Amino acid sequence: MSDSVVGRIRPPDALGEAEVEALVHGICFKTGPPERLGVEVEWLVHQLDAPQMPVSPERLSAAYTALRALPLTSSLTVEPGGQLELSSLPATSLMECIRTVSTDLDSVRAVLRDAGLCLVGLGHDPWHTPRRFLRQPRYDAMEAHFERLGPAGRYMMCSTASVQVCVDAGCEEPGPLGHVRRWWLAHHLGAVLLASFANSPMADNRPTGWRSTRQLRWMQIGAGRAGGAPLDTHPRTSWARHVLDAPVMCVRRDSGPWDVPDDLTLRDWTRHLMPRPPLPGDLDYHMTTLFPPVRPRGHLELRMIDAQPGDDGWIVPLAVTAALFDDREATDIAYRAVEPLAARTLGRPAPHNPLYEVAAREGLTDPGLREAAVTCFTAALDALPRLGATTAVMDAVSGFVERYVLRGRCPADDMLVMEGTTGYGRPSKENGS
């Protein structure tokens, strides 16, 4: 490519398309035998004595100031709407990951309890109108970007919470633990995990008609921002193209509001160098503004699981996902179990395909998803002793299987029963993607 673009001189450190592709190839799929595991647990924060009443920003600020003084092993961050997230360090075993995060969560809960607050495991706030807590240039720009698309972005930023499981990308060589196969498995098994752990059937104090309203929000903000890459080419090639063709959310500035371009892809930016030339740091930042259900960050980040009820509900999706990705026998079983589901995507990237849509709306009432879930969860239970899981962890997974999976149910169904409605046969103001 020429060193000038439409009369502008290309700075030597400005990114071109080739440089973007090379960088993405190098940083997004770091291959090797699966050895590490991580989890990011997000929580809504409600009042202990009045969960349906919003928490004031002043009260949240005071509690979060106290939390920052804790000597945690995990990274503690605050999300735009005041949700809390704990991100574990990469662990070398399932139980190491569970123990570290559990210890940190105990400390966090104690501080919040003293402030009259609590962590709530729901994928979408069922009662409160989205309200932004953080006022930072990134989130100002994000909100401005999403406002062009409708209200879903506000809900996504301020009203949702998840359990994100991080697994190694896999080996360079083909086979059950190869990164190509794990990439494919993550997307198709992801629909099963979405359906099994759906836990967000309400918004604005009424059923939405979706078992995972959180996933609905992601679908509503569009394929460019929250969609995955096609699975018809090599993962590195496909993801690099997706990164280049994704819309740029914002262009950072050292001072003042950030630019929020309209209809500018990263590929366009590298070609036209406007509003300023893109630099390597801009690529890193751009990739943090992409929210596909499976995000490659050197490892694979599975982002389709709703936050789970109970203090320890997050342990079940972590344990099941770890078993199905890192135990060879369980991986083979899971791969065969989800193969029949692949045709239901119609070749479209997740989550904007029929498989993910039915998983988010119907959960395990869908016969194909239920059958795959029974097979996968059974394989995970068989694999957990080989991963060193304790009896308590295996009992938690077994209890989930008996309560939900074998009955074609998910946690969202419990919430609707408590609300006194099935919720799914009635008209809803929520629209699909």
Side-chain angles (χ1 to χ4, degrees), residues 284-297:
D284 295 337
Y285 196 85
H286 173 66
M287 289 192 291
T288 72
T289 70
L290 304 181
F291 309 113
V294 182
R295 185 162 65 175
R297 305 185 65 185

Side-chain angles (χ1 to χ4, degrees), residues 231-274:
L231 300 180
D232 55 355
T233 57
H234 191 280
R236 289 192 179 99
T237 300
S238 181
W239 182 247
R241 290 174 181 169
H242 183 71
V243 169
L244 277 163
D245 291 329
V248 174
M249 175 179 286
C250 52
V251 177
R252 295 173 296 168
R253 299 274 182 201
D254 292 333
S255 61
W258 294 358
D259 291 329
V260 183
D262 190 11
D263 198 26
L264 175 72
T265 68
L266 182 61
R267 191 184 302 276
D268 294 334
W269 194 11
T270 64
R271 289 176 176 178
H272 303 301
L273 308 182
M274 295 291 288

